[in-house]
Amino acid sequence: MVRKFVYRFESNKAEGRAEWKPLLGGKGANLAEMANLGIPVPPGFTVTTEACIDYLKLGHFPEGLLEAVRDSMSWLETCTRRQFGNVENPLLVSVRSGAQSSMPGMMDTILDLGLNDETVIGLARQSQSERFAFDAYRRLLGMFGNVVLEIDHELFEPALDAARRAVARQKQLSLPDDADTLARVVPDSVLGAEELKLVVADYKRIILEHSGKPFPSDPYEQLDAAIAAVFRSWNNARAKLYREMHDIPHDWGTAVNIQAMVFGNLGDTSATGVAFTRDPSTGERRFFGEWLPNAQGEDVVAGIRTPRALSRSPESDGSSLEEAMPDSYAELFKIQHVLEQRFRDMQDIEFTIEAGRLYLLQTRNGKRSARASVRIAVDMVNEGLLYPDEAILRVDPERLGELLFPAIDPKAGASAIARGIPASPGAVSGKAVFNAEDAQAYAERGESVILVRTETSPEDLHGMKAAKGILTARGGATSHAAVVARGMGRPCVSGCSTLHIDYASGEAVVHGGNGEVTTRIKHADSITIDGSSGSVYLGNVKTIEAELGPEMETMLVWTERVSRMRVRANADTPEQAAKALSFGARGIGLCRTEHMFFSDERIAAVREMILARDTKAREKALAKLLPFQTQDFAGLFRVMKGLPVNIRLLDPPLHEFLPHEKHQIGELAATMGVSVVDVERKIAELYEFNPMLGHRGVRLGITYPEVPAMQVRAILEAACTVQEEGHEVLPEIMVPLAFSEGELGAMRVIIDEVAKDVFAKHGKEVKFKVGTMIELPRAALLADQLAKHAEFFSFGTNDLTQTTLGVSRDDAGSFLPLYVERGILPEDPFISLDTDGVGELVRIAIEKGRVARPELHFGVCGEHGGDPKSIDFCEQIGLSYVSCSPFRVPIARVAAAQASLRRTRKYWR
Ligand code: PEP
Ligand code: MG
């Protein structure tokens, strides 16, 4: 049986539905749904993603597809009472891509198909505008040439430039040198029919020259080629990159939507626009969008003309759609509400008004800033549109980092040199670069850059990804730059219209009110942009931390109701602990004590301890460190108010603490009363070829038991003191890098002896736990043996990853990216847990540990503890908590709640 490749829709009736996105793509499924809801859409049909996948596999159309397309075209002719290719009454169609998941601007679209030298005359007659018809024809030729015949669009530009020049000459305007200014002085709308006819002739010549064949005048030949080209565009480089960045599978394919053309450029009663049912930047509930009279859809998004606001405001001055076309606005306003209620999410809508008649061309769940995503989700719960658990699942935890983006410090007193549209929130500084390649090159050298462009296009994607922020001179809040930056979480200021970029000279200038140049920004000059306010500053302006905001606070409270796992923080100082607590951390999962040793007063004692000739000398140095460590731990206990505080005994190889500079070595020798040569010899002795697998972790405790003894004493002294102050304390003492029962047993003896001594001195006991990190495969495999001496396991997945894969965490940068690029590894295993390998060891360790000691509790404290995908895995295998850096705590809380909801499917209703 031939499969059904084509699904039709017209007003009030459709074969498809919203739920069929995998088959019809997002655009096709939603067009069908809009038709079902009685919303006016231009009639058309969707060619399925299955047809695309078949085409890409076979290299030709699958059997039955062309017949189905022909049948549906006849049906469309009946619906529209026009005929495809008919000279008197031509039907024109658009051919648009539409994948299951929206990939804005990544794939191709062709408009005005069906035009040729004859039908263009018919269109001119029907529309009573030769100019309009030839404008449509040249657009088709340009798009067809570029998309189907793969002719570089720049090759078409001289023809258009020549037409602009001719008009400029006729109007006796002075001729600017660069094409950009020329396009501004002589916009498309000024080109007359005669000029456009010349452009059409030129475009046809360019097509013949570069493709070796004339432009096909047969409309069906155009249509078939356009469908094939849209199928192929699924695999273009930018679409592939976009999929990789957004985890969209490569085997989904795109659907193709073929629809009767409607025109927003048929004169003053026609228009086109883009709207959001809520503000995509702040999440505020207000109908929001942009439109242009007498224009085609791409004019709004391409940012060539700066669009007008949809709704009336004190500044709109009659230019809003609400004022200019009140009936269409009212209808659109009603429709947007219907759509939001139906889809239960903020919608991003495209519409066209043709001679006073409104059509919806698209609706989809709108891309939004992270802040907006939280606000919209929480508001929708309050409006009764969503349940709290659905709201939690609506947020992408990875992007919540945006809520923590810094803002401009008002105290910095910086004054903006220019202002644009606040397109994607956050303030960021960097060197200004004017093209994507420079952005990438600078970023690879570790430099922070702001990509500054007149406008961006999908070709700039790699540069936008590499840049810390994006600034454009043109385009509104729905321009490519704005939409893509928001999706990527990059701060972006768009439509900064006083900015003019001269790519040739590598300089941007800002114009003042009288047209004079007020500021020059040269290549690599530092600038700061604030995507929350739209301001642009010269130099590096001081920024301050952001606040979570009330909606995020609400959502975080909800997460507590559904999360099984707790979120702790890796914190080494009382300040970090306080930050973590303010973000809702439920304890400290890892305090790396070595970080406490680097301050000036302590490092001398640490070095003295390391270089000590014998135990006595070492104990003398350790005695100097004891009061410092006791203070450190007391500080943590006070902040954490009875929540668990996990303190790791000294872990790094001692060599890391030794001086490298000559003068430091000299100073150390003097303090210790030994010769420089002696110190140098000792440093050389401590050198290791492979320090990560060397004398570190518990091995230090085995060789120098007085070191852990001092640290344990400090922990328990601090615990007793803080308890005596009337606070609760819950210390956890953690042994790093153990691989055997023997090592842990030896540490346990030291810990118990010190505890006895400290408690006797204080005349009271403090409850504490002793556990180990699992950072070595042997430890995981023999977890039942280790569990004899441990009350908890904390998976140090940074080390466990490096020791399991045999990949150095410090040196992997030279080859790991290639492994990911080639698909040998799905992701960087130091960012997202290698669940198959490392994850399996974690699973084994939990299972064996639990058998040996049922009350054992488990956490993860490697960087993976803040990674949403790894958190999902931690939930599945039953960890008690994840621990991550303080700033990632809110992200981890949401991720943990989502993981619980997904695993248990116990929704909170
Ligand atoms: C780990 O190895 O995962 C860990 C948390 O310890 P560190 O990163 O300090 O080695
Ligand atoms: Mg480690």
Side-chain angles (χ1 to χ4, degrees):
M1 200 188 86
V2 180
R3 269 176 301 158
K4 184 169 168 63
F5 283 130
V6 163
Y7 289 74
R8 298 172 186 172
F9 51 85
E10 60 183 310
S11 281
N12 286 313
K13 199 161 79 195
E15 292 181 315
R17 45 199 283 200
E19 287 71 27
W20 295 355
K21 290 192 174 63
L23 185 68
L24 302 178
K27 187 184 294 230
N30 286 358
L31 276 167
E33 194 65 27
M34 284 197 283
N36 285 329
L37 289 168
I39 292 168
V41 292
F45 56 92
T46 303
V47 179
T48 64
T49 53
E50 288 179 0
C52 171
I53 294 159
D54 280 7
Y55 173 86
L56 293 174
K57 266 194 212 139
L58 299 168
H60 57 77
F61 289 134
E63 201 189 319
L65 174 62
L66 279 186
E67 292 74 5
V69 168
R70 295 289 182 278
D71 272 1
S72 294
M73 285 301 289
S74 308
W75 164 82
L76 195 57
E77 287 176 338
T78 318
C79 286
T80 57
R81 297 201 199 92
R82 292 173 194 268
Q83 246 187 325
F84 200 42
N86 184 295
V87 178
E88 295 305 319
N89 187 20
L91 166 66
L92 303 188
V93 296
S94 62
V95 174
R96 296 174 205 261
S97 57
Q100 176 175 337
S101 175
S102 133
M103 295 167 57
M106 296 301 129
M107 290 176 297
D108 291 323
T109 283
I110 304 167
L111 307 176
D112 303 323
L113 273 141
L115 280 175
N116 56 30
D117 289 352
E118 279 105 47
T119 52
V120 72
I121 310 289
L123 183 67
R125 210 174 300 133
Q126 263 189 340
S127 61
Q128 296 175 353
S129 169
E130 223 185 0
R131 178 200 179 271
F132 163 77
F134 278 90
D135 188 45
Y137 196 15
R138 69 101 190 161
R139 283 174 197 256
L140 167 64
L141 289 165
M143 280 186 270
F144 195 90
N146 180 233
V147 173
V148 180
L149 305 172
E150 294 175 19
I151 302 169
D152 193 338
H153 65 82
E154 282 182 9
L155 291 168
F156 291 100
E157 272 161 25
L160 206 55
D161 277 355
R164 291 192 215 281
R165 283 216 171 78
V167 172
R169 251 181 255 114
Q170 275 165 28
K171 298 196 167 184
Q172 298 183 332
L173 300 170
S174 63
L175 273 180
D177 293 335
D178 67 307
D180 243 23
T181 319
L182 182 65
R184 225 170 333 124
V185 179
V186 187
D188 292 2
S189 54
V190 174
L191 300 179
E194 293 317 309
E195 287 89 31
L196 289 167
K197 280 182 193 170
L198 292 177
V199 174
V200 162
D202 258 355
Y203 275 19
K204 284 201 286 193
R205 180 185 50 75
I206 293 164
I207 286 178
L208 179 62
E209 241 170 61
H210 292 276
S211 73
K213 278 184 269 165
F215 171 71
S217 58
D218 175 357
Y220 277 104
E221 199 180 319
Q222 293 172 15
L223 181 63
D224 297 349
I227 295 172
V230 174
F231 282 164
R232 286 196 303 271
S233 73
W234 174 254
N235 277 337
N236 72 34
R238 60 175 192 253
K240 277 190 186 163
L241 175 64
Y242 187 92
R243 291 202 291 273
E244 269 150 30
M245 283 169 62
H246 293 84
D247 280 334
I248 298 173
H250 292 300
D251 60 2
W252 276 359
T254 179
V256 181
N257 298 291
I258 295 154
Q259 258 181 306
M261 282 296 300
V262 286
F263 295 98
N265 54 344
L266 262 185
D268 292 341
T269 54
S270 299
T272 190
V274 183
F276 290 91
T277 55
R278 304 193 184 213
D279 186 322
S281 197
T282 64
E284 192 191 334
R285 189 179 189 189
R286 67 180 179 115
F287 184 45
F288 167 89
E290 290 170 335
W291 74 291
L292 279 173
N294 197 12
Q296 282 209 327
E298 75 215 30
D299 300 337
V300 180
V301 271
I304 311 282
R305 283 162 67 187
T306 296
R308 307 172 180 189
L310 273 188
S311 308
R312 182 202 302 266
S313 73
E315 299 89 56
S316 59
D317 249 357
S319 70
S320 70
L321 185 72
E322 189 172 6
E323 291 149 294
M325 300 186 185
D327 292 347
S328 296
Y329 179 85
E331 192 183 352
L332 185 63
F333 190 81
K334 251 189 246 150
I335 289 173
Q336 61 93 22
H337 183 69
V338 170
L339 288 173
E340 207 183 71
Q341 295 290 313
R342 165 65 186 86
F343 289 102
R344 301 167 72 232
D345 202 351
M346 184 263 269
Q347 295 297 294
D348 164 356
I349 294 164
E350 278 176 30
F351 65 90
T352 283
I353 299 165
E354 182 185 79
R357 236 180 115 177
L358 174 70
Y359 293 95
L360 274 279
L361 300 186
Q362 170 159 298
T363 188
R364 60 186 168 191
N365 295 339
K367 299 228 179 288
R368 62 205 78 179
S369 70
R371 188 171 296 287
S373 77
V374 175
R375 175 155 180 193
I376 291 170
V378 171
D379 282 355
M380 285 189 168
V381 172
N382 295 332
E383 290 159 26
L385 214 54
L386 292 180
Y387 291 107
D389 51 18
E390 291 176 303
I392 293 170
L393 288 166
R394 281 282 170 89
V395 170
D396 176 357
E398 195 51 71
R399 290 193 50 208
L400 291 178
E402 285 171 48
L403 270 65
L404 308 158
F405 273 165
I408 300 286
D409 185 353
K411 291 198 207 93
S415 54
I417 53 159
R419 242 172 254 282
I421 292 164
S424 181
V428 68
S429 304
K431 291 184 170 165
V433 294
F434 303 117
N435 63 58
E437 282 61 43
D438 282 353
Q440 198 168 27
Y442 275 72
E444 275 164 11
R445 293 204 297 268
E447 303 218 45
S448 169
V449 288
I450 309 290
L451 180 62
V452 183
R453 302 280 296 163
T454 304
E455 70 237 11
T456 64
S457 75
E459 271 94 46
D460 296 317
L461 201 62
H462 60 295
M464 298 174 79
K465 193 178 160 201
K468 290 274 188 281
I470 294 138
L471 169 64
T472 67
R474 291 209 206 125
T478 52
S479 65
H480 178 268
V483 171
V484 173
R486 212 175 289 132
M488 283 181 179
R490 299 281 188 282
C492 175
V493 174
S494 68
C496 183
S497 54
T498 53
L499 187 73
H500 181 85
I501 300 143
D502 184 350
Y503 293 122
S505 67
E507 192 185 62
V509 292
V510 178
H511 292 284
N514 301 323
E516 79 286 21
V517 172
T518 53
T519 316
R520 287 181 190 279
I521 304 170
K522 293 208 195 57
H523 172 85
D525 280 353
S526 288
I527 59 167
T528 301
I529 61 164
D530 183 1
S532 312
S533 70
S535 301
V536 181
Y537 307 86
L538 211 52
N540 287 321
V541 179
K542 195 161 170 262
T543 52
I544 47 164
E545 285 170 17
E547 274 183 349
L548 284 182
E551 289 85 10
M552 189 64 213
E553 301 283 0
T554 305
M555 179 162 291
L556 286 172
V557 171
W558 292 343
T559 65
E560 294 301 306
R561 294 247 329 230
V562 294
S563 273
R564 183 191 58 78
M565 282 193 299
R566 296 266 183 242
V567 176
R568 295 195 191 180
N570 294 352
D572 308 327
T573 63
E575 294 73 39
Q576 286 179 6
K579 182 98 240 165
L581 203 61
S582 76
F583 282 147
R586 303 295 290 264
I588 291 179
L590 172 63
C591 165
R592 293 176 163 105
T593 49
E594 62 271 21
H595 292 166
M596 298 165 161
F597 287 173
F598 279 99
S599 68
D600 273 353
E601 326 134 286
R602 298 156 193 220
I603 191 72
V606 172
R607 287 172 175 165
E608 208 181 308
M609 179 267 286
I610 294 169
L611 299 178
R613 228 169 293 129
D614 51 31
T615 312
K616 236 174 133 190
R618 204 160 22 251
E619 280 175 340
K620 202 174 130 219
L622 286 166
K624 292 186 193 167
L625 283 171
L626 179 65
F628 287 122
Q629 283 268 269
T630 312
Q631 269 171 36
D632 291 335
F633 300 141
L636 289 177
F637 292 140
R638 285 190 192 108
V639 171
M640 295 309 289
K641 300 188 180 78
L643 290 170
V645 176
N646 180 313
I647 297 167
R648 176 173 77 184
L649 301 178
L650 194 64
D651 181 39
L654 299 180
H655 198 264
E656 282 188 13
F657 298 99
L658 292 178
H660 302 290
E661 310 267 336
K662 258 240 150 358
H663 74 95
Q664 292 173 320
I665 295 175
E667 279 166 25
L668 185 61
T671 334
M672 292 184 63
V674 293
S675 72
V676 168
V677 177
D678 270 353
V679 175
E680 283 174 341
R681 190 179 323 115
K682 189 75 191 182
I683 293 175
E685 256 172 52
L686 284 171
Y687 173 80
E688 291 178 305
F689 279 105
N690 211 341
M692 279 296 127
L693 300 179
H695 195 174
R696 60 171 283 218
V698 66
R699 297 159 205 178
L700 293 169
I702 297 290
T703 46
Y704 307 123
E706 51 285 355
V707 178
M710 180 280 286
Q711 290 198 297
V712 172
R713 184 172 296 280
I715 294 168
L716 297 179
E717 282 282 357
C720 286
T721 308
V722 175
Q723 191 169 276
E724 280 156 14
E725 290 166 7
H727 302 295
E728 277 186 50
V729 282
L730 187 42
E732 294 179 348
I733 300 172
M734 181 154 79
V735 179
L737 212 78
F739 60 64
S740 67
E741 183 187 340
E743 291 165 316
L744 280 188
M747 288 304 109
R748 201 72 232 209
V749 170
I750 297 170
I751 294 166
D752 289 344
E753 264 175 23
V754 173
K756 219 164 119 195
D757 191 42
V758 173
F759 296 156
K761 207 176 100 196
H762 283 264
K764 65 155 75 113
E765 295 202 354
V766 170
K767 272 209 196 97
F768 70 98
K769 286 185 180 170
V770 178
T772 185
M773 293 187 80
I774 303 281
E775 297 179 281
L776 298 168
R778 190 179 196 275
L781 295 171
L782 301 181
D784 46 343
Q785 297 180 12
L786 273 74
K788 288 183 204 156
H789 301 294
E791 289 152 284
F792 64 84
F793 287 167
S794 177
F795 293 93
T797 45
N798 302 333
D799 272 313
L800 191 58
T801 299
Q802 87 169 341
T803 54
T804 301
L805 276 75
V807 170
S808 157
R809 60 197 263 198
D810 303 302
D811 306 304
S814 59
F815 57 90
L816 259 192
L818 192 71
Y819 269 60
V820 178
E821 210 177 292
R822 295 245 179 106
I824 299 171
L825 285 173
E827 252 154 318
D828 182 333
F830 290 104
I831 295 174
S832 222
L833 196 76
D834 159 41
T835 51
D836 291 349
V838 179
E840 187 57 23
L841 283 170
V842 176
R843 205 193 297 268
I844 291 169
I846 292 177
E847 207 177 285
K848 290 196 142 188
R850 251 197 207 126
V851 171
R853 193 187 267 246
E855 73 282 9
L856 201 65
H857 75 94
F858 307 93
V860 63
C861 65
E863 294 313 299
H864 305 93
D867 169 61
K869 274 192 213 148
S870 311
I871 291 171
D872 195 71
F873 178 77
C874 294
E875 166 68 35
Q876 287 172 41
I877 58 173
L879 290 191
S880 329
Y881 68 86
V882 293
S883 189
C884 57
S885 71
F887 273 98
R888 289 197 76 85
V889 166
I891 296 173
R893 288 175 71 191
V894 172
Q898 292 185 340
S900 286
L901 285 169
R902 278 194 290 261
R903 188 182 58 79
T904 60
R905 295 185 188 281
K906 268 199 209 129
Y907 295 119
W908 171 25
R909 293 285 151 93

